[in-house]
Amino acid sequence: MSAQPNVLLLVPPGWGGLWQTPLSIGGLKVFAHGVDAFDPATIDYAVGFRPPPGLLASLPRLKAVFSLGAGVDGFLLDPQFPKHIPLIRFVDVTLSREMAQYAAMHVLMQHRTVNFFEAAQRDGKWRQRMLPRATEETRVGILGLGEIGTVCAERIRDHGFSVSGWSRTRKHVDGVKSYAGAGELDAFLAQCDFLVCVLPLTPDTRHILNAAAFAKLPKGAYVINIARGGHLNEPDLIAAIDSGHLSGATLDVFETEPLPEGNPIWSHPKIIATPHIAAITHPSAATRSIIDGIAALERGHAPKNVVDMTRGY
Ligand code: NAP
Ligand code: GLV
């Protein structure tokens, strides 16, 4: 690197130290937004999650933006996002594995009827039962067969489930049936006993988990959303569970985060809610990839994992 690039760090208050120290050790001059004074005219790179709208457009020397998350909807929501600048998303094997762990864990918990045995233990009763449905006959569908969805599909397949995935383009993943495009969505939904959403949030996928989609799922299907809250119409989900059509849901992401006090999801007996922790970006992996990415850009190389602005992911 010729001169020391200036980086503006955009992370929630209190989180700066996790990123600032390793990025500085990696040779970058880091200014934490909201903490350090900085001259907007000198910032070369921005790194973070969800910048305040208009901020990035006010940095005249900006060369690239690095997302600390796999999802970049928080950047593209900014109507002034400078779309001529590369937006680089975080792709990481550990992140994908941890998402797959979460998805597989919640499929397995329902499949192995953990609730039933917890209730039996609470009652002090030795209640044996068979699995309600054989593993190979249990169909798990993954919405989104990208970096993370593919690992989710492979891990769940390895547990013996019958796995399929839906994506924009056709995929070839061993033992995973591929459905592609809007024209195959209904056929995909019709064969999902579990539906796991790992799509990016774009105008095309907003509220894709809605009453019409739930009606196409088999009766008793279970929904797992680990993508973004904006994918789910929450009242439609609650109505589909309360009508008995869906058996329940696991939600890690919500339309409003933190999930507001009093939201019916908090107390719904058939919904498991977690606070957007399906996978959290590990600072060591993310700072390494940002340091390497900036070094490559400074040498004039094309960056990896650049978001396609027309697709929105
Ligand atoms: P990715 O590699 O970009 O994959 C996205 C997948 O979605 C691709 O298979 C893509 O199809 C498909 N897709 C996008 N739009 C579609 C559409 N309109 N119709 C059909 N398929 C469509 O993304 P990723 O790295 O797997 O990440 C997925 C999302 O996970 C992120 O955007 C983020 O929101 C979420 N996430 C959540 C957490 C958490 O803790 N809860 C953590 C990490 C990530 P093609 O391959 O055919 O283009
Ligand atoms: C987390 O939600 C991410 O997008 O990485």
Side-chain angles (χ1 to χ4, degrees):
M1 255 178 254
S2 43
Q4 190 181 33
N6 290 329
V7 172
L8 182 61
L9 182 64
L10 301 146
V11 294
W15 286 52
L18 283 176
W19 314 96
Q20 198 158 9
T21 308
L23 289 173
S24 304
I25 293 169
L28 304 169
K29 180 139 184 62
V30 184
F31 300 87
H33 183 252
V35 178
D36 301 322
F38 66 95
D39 174 1
T42 64
I43 296 299
D44 299 297
Y45 297 98
V47 168
F49 290 108
R50 182 184 282 259
L55 176 66
L56 298 176
S58 74
L59 308 174
R61 201 165 96 178
L62 196 61
K63 298 180 202 167
V65 177
F66 287 81
S67 169
L68 286 176
V72 293
D73 45 292
F75 291 89
L76 298 181
L77 276 176
D78 176 357
Q80 295 175 61
F81 184 87
K83 291 196 171 170
H84 57 287
I85 287 172
L87 169 59
I88 298 159
R89 66 189 202 91
F90 184 52
V91 174
D92 177 50
V93 67
T94 303
L95 189 81
S96 298
R97 282 190 189 132
E98 290 178 1
M99 290 288 277
Q101 281 171 8
Y102 184 101
M105 174 175 76
H106 286 274
V107 167
L108 287 167
M109 279 168 59
Q110 300 306 318
H111 178 60
R112 301 303 305 248
T113 64
V114 166
N115 284 347
F116 175 88
F117 295 110
E118 278 175 350
Q121 182 180 359
R122 269 197 308 276
D123 295 347
K125 298 287 182 203
W126 185 266
R127 284 190 198 121
Q128 291 182 320
R129 78 186 315 208
M130 312 272 287
L131 288 185
R133 190 194 276 117
T135 306
E136 309 72 41
E137 289 164 14
T138 303
R139 300 159 301 174
V140 182
I142 315 286
L143 281 169
L145 271 188
E147 296 287 344
I148 296 171
T150 302
V151 183
C152 293
E154 290 170 339
R155 292 296 82 79
I156 294 169
R157 173 205 64 196
D158 291 348
H159 283 286
F161 294 95
S162 166
V163 180
S164 61
W166 182 73
S167 44
R168 211 173 38 80
T169 55
R170 184 82 54 213
K171 303 293 176 193
H172 302 279
V173 181
D174 268 2
V176 176
K177 182 166 184 193
S178 165
Y179 292 81
E184 295 184 11
L185 180 59
D186 289 1
F188 166 78
L189 293 172
Q191 51 87 62
C192 292
D193 299 311
F194 286 89
L195 180 65
V196 180
C197 180
V198 208
L199 287 165
L201 184 61
T202 68
D204 288 340
T205 64
R206 178 168 290 281
H207 283 183
I208 192 167
L209 301 173
N210 59 24
F214 299 144
K216 286 166 192 145
L217 292 171
K219 186 169 166 49
Y222 190 91
V223 171
I224 299 174
N225 187 19
I226 54 175
R228 284 290 182 265
H231 288 117
L232 173 67
N233 180 315
E234 291 173 2
D236 283 5
L237 175 78
I238 291 174
I241 296 174
D242 290 348
S243 74
H245 182 64
L246 296 182
S247 58
T250 292
L251 306 177
D252 183 55
V253 286
F254 304 90
E255 190 88 72
T256 304
E257 293 182 6
L259 183 62
E261 206 179 309
N263 184 302
I265 288 172
W266 278 121
S267 55
H268 198 290
K270 293 186 175 170
I271 299 180
I272 297 173
T274 56
H276 201 142
I277 46 70
I280 293 183
T281 298
H282 287 263
S284 56
T287 50
R288 189 69 262 153
S289 89
I290 291 161
I291 291 163
D292 291 348
I294 291 179
L297 282 159
E298 292 290 312
R299 285 196 300 269
H301 295 167
K304 284 196 250 170
N305 303 317
V306 177
V307 171
D308 177 334
M309 290 293 167
T310 52
R311 291 185 326 191
Y313 64 96

